[in-house]
Amino acid sequence: VMVFRNQELKPEGFLRFSKYFGELEVHVLDQYLHSEYPEILIVSNVLEDDRNIGIPDAGLYWHTDLSYMAAPSRGSILYAIEVPKSNGRTLGNTIWASTAAAYEALTIDTKRQISGMKATFSLSGRFEKVAEDEKADTELTIDQGNRAPDVIHPVVRTHPVTNRKCIFVNELHTSDIVGLPQAESRALLAELQEHTIQTEFVYRHSWLPGDVVMWDNVATQHIAMHDYSLPQRRLMHRTT
Ligand code: OGA
Ligand code: MN
């Protein structure tokens, strides 16, 4: 996770910077794309004409971005434009956990147990999960669901640059472990999740407007704190 403070970026500059690192994804939730620059996803709780201008429920649970796609995102960049505050305290923090450090701290038995295991990742499962939450927005359209069918990924991925092994299953997008009875699968996923997010593996970011935070979606997973609501405004631009 890298943090660059005090940036002033127009969409063109943000896109130019993002494209230095690879081809950009156009997010499947097209109702939240920037109207002129579809490679920018708006992350926001702001309403205009009663409509959410961006995705209001991003990161309600631990996840890595686009892990429900056949080709998950290599990295993501968030640019903070408006950050909610209350009595001088910044709200809407984001927390990242090192999936590499978490993997390395597993017991040898667990490493052996999960070696070679595969899991199902699901965008529609993500929608079912957040539907209960009061911050949840709209549903997935049939067309969007068709563009992101469930996929299978390994439970542990090897980082393409560092060769470190990383826990890849996550709370929001992983629905089950292939070949395990449901109760066992749920218990193992919960155990891995709880292990991954221990304090010694996490960095918590308190945002300032102008922050650009860029992260590796193999070596980390993240969650957003939804501890604010209108009239406290939060507005971010995201590329993946
Ligand atoms: C995201 C996300 C976290 C945040 O945009 O991928 O998880 O703090 N956002 O907005
Ligand atoms: Mn995210």
Side-chain angles (χ1 to χ4, degrees):
V1 180
M2 285 182 278
V3 178
F4 307 93
R5 292 214 124 128
N6 300 311
Q7 303 304 305
E8 256 180 71
L9 293 173
K10 294 200 174 68
E12 294 88 344
F14 184 46
L15 285 176
R16 191 175 340 111
F17 174 73
S18 301
K19 283 178 182 168
Y20 290 143
F21 304 96
E23 205 181 308
L24 302 184
E25 178 86 17
V26 174
H27 203 282
V28 60
L29 298 179
D30 37 19
Q31 66 270 39
Y32 302 126
L33 301 178
H34 191 294
S35 58
E36 286 164 72
Y37 303 93
E39 289 156 316
I40 295 178
L41 176 73
I42 314 273
V43 176
S44 185
N45 69 334
V46 173
L47 297 171
E48 263 168 30
D49 303 325
D50 282 336
R51 211 191 119 251
N52 280 102
I53 62 162
I55 179 166
D57 55 5
L60 275 173
Y61 295 84
W62 286 94
H63 67 286
T64 61
D65 294 336
L66 309 183
S67 64
Y68 50 78
M69 302 291 279
S73 153
R74 181 69 186 80
S76 302
I77 311 176
L78 265 182
Y79 172 46
I81 298 164
E82 293 184 65
V83 177
K85 275 192 147 192
S86 168
N87 300 322
R89 204 168 71 86
T90 300
L91 304 173
N93 288 183
T94 309
I95 308 175
W96 284 266
S98 169
T99 56
Y103 176 82
E104 283 154 17
L106 289 171
T107 63
I108 293 181
D109 284 348
T110 306
K111 285 180 184 163
R112 245 185 235 136
Q113 181 193 6
I114 64 177
S115 161
M117 275 187 170
K118 293 191 187 307
T120 308
F121 291 69
S122 172
L123 179 60
S124 54
R126 175 253 187 235
F127 271 80
E128 283 162 28
K129 189 156 219 158
V130 304
E132 309 293 302
D133 195 287
E134 58 174 30
K135 306 267 178 185
D137 195 36
T138 56
E139 292 178 5
L140 194 64
T141 66
I142 289 169
D143 175 53
Q144 289 168 342
N146 290 340
R147 272 147 57 202
D150 290 2
V151 293
I152 308 275
H153 291 303
V155 168
V156 175
R157 285 173 81 193
T158 301
H159 193 278
V161 178
T162 64
N163 276 327
R164 284 173 89 185
K165 288 188 175 170
C166 303
I167 296 174
F168 194 58
V169 286
N170 63 70
E171 185 178 32
L172 185 57
H173 299 153
T174 310
S175 47
D176 48 78
I177 295 184
V178 176
L180 285 192
Q182 194 178 62
E184 241 178 90
S185 159
R186 289 220 171 120
L188 180 56
L189 288 171
E191 181 193 322
L192 290 172
Q193 189 61 47
E194 207 180 308
H195 170 83
T196 302
I197 63 176
Q198 295 176 85
T199 16
E200 61 264 47
F201 308 137
V202 309
Y203 166 68
R204 183 175 180 126
H205 187 66
S206 177
W207 293 91
L208 289 173
D211 284 355
V212 170
V213 178
M214 177 174 182
W215 66 92
D216 184 323
N217 277 317
V218 180
T220 67
Q221 51 175 258
H222 58 279
I223 189 171
M225 295 294 104
H226 286 260
D227 54 359
Y228 56 90
S229 49
L230 291 173
Q232 297 158 333
R233 290 162 59 103
R234 192 172 189 269
L235 173 60
M236 311 254 174
H237 283 178
R238 177 184 122 177
T239 53
T240 44

